[in-house]
Amino acid sequence: MPSASAAYLSNPPPPYPPLSRRLGEQGKVVVRVRIEADGTASAAEVRTSSGFERLDQAALQTVLRWKYVPGKRNGVPEAMWYLIPIQFVLE
């Protein structure tokens, strides 16, 4: 396993699905994402659902587009799986 955690950089938050906003859907999604040595995401899966499919899918699609600083082992970037919590809160 890599010795360091991946970093998020300045990635935009996921868009709030309009229907979820209208229906008052909120929740936390935990996405498990594979971050490659070049900082791209190659795979993702919902580890913990928000309870709303629209929010889960918005989180999945977003983390796959993000760029990351990968974890390193002995100073060398290495692919790894990482858990990313995403909170959808109506304000």
Side-chain angles (χ1 to χ4, degrees):
M1 294 296 294
S3 61
S5 295
Y8 292 99
L9 298 175
S10 295
N11 292 302
Y16 215 114
L19 184 56
S20 292
R21 186 179 296 279
R22 283 193 298 275
L23 295 174
E25 297 173 348
Q26 301 184 89
K28 179 180 177 181
V29 183
V30 178
V31 178
R32 183 173 179 249
V33 61
R34 180 164 174 83
I35 300 168
E36 299 301 325
D38 67 358
T40 61
S42 62
E45 59 190 29
V46 173
R47 188 63 166 275
T48 305
S49 174
S50 65
F52 301 101
E53 182 67 20
R54 280 179 292 277
L55 299 182
D56 294 351
Q57 288 304 310
L60 268 177
Q61 292 169 9
T62 297
V63 301
L64 285 169
R65 287 191 302 265
W66 282 358
K67 298 293 182 206
Y68 303 87
V69 175
K72 296 181 180 180
R73 185 187 309 221
N74 298 323
V76 178
E78 187 172 309
M80 63 180 282
W81 285 94
Y82 191 66
L83 295 178
I84 300 175
I86 296 182
Q87 188 78 38
F88 287 92
V89 179
L90 291 170
E91 297 180 9

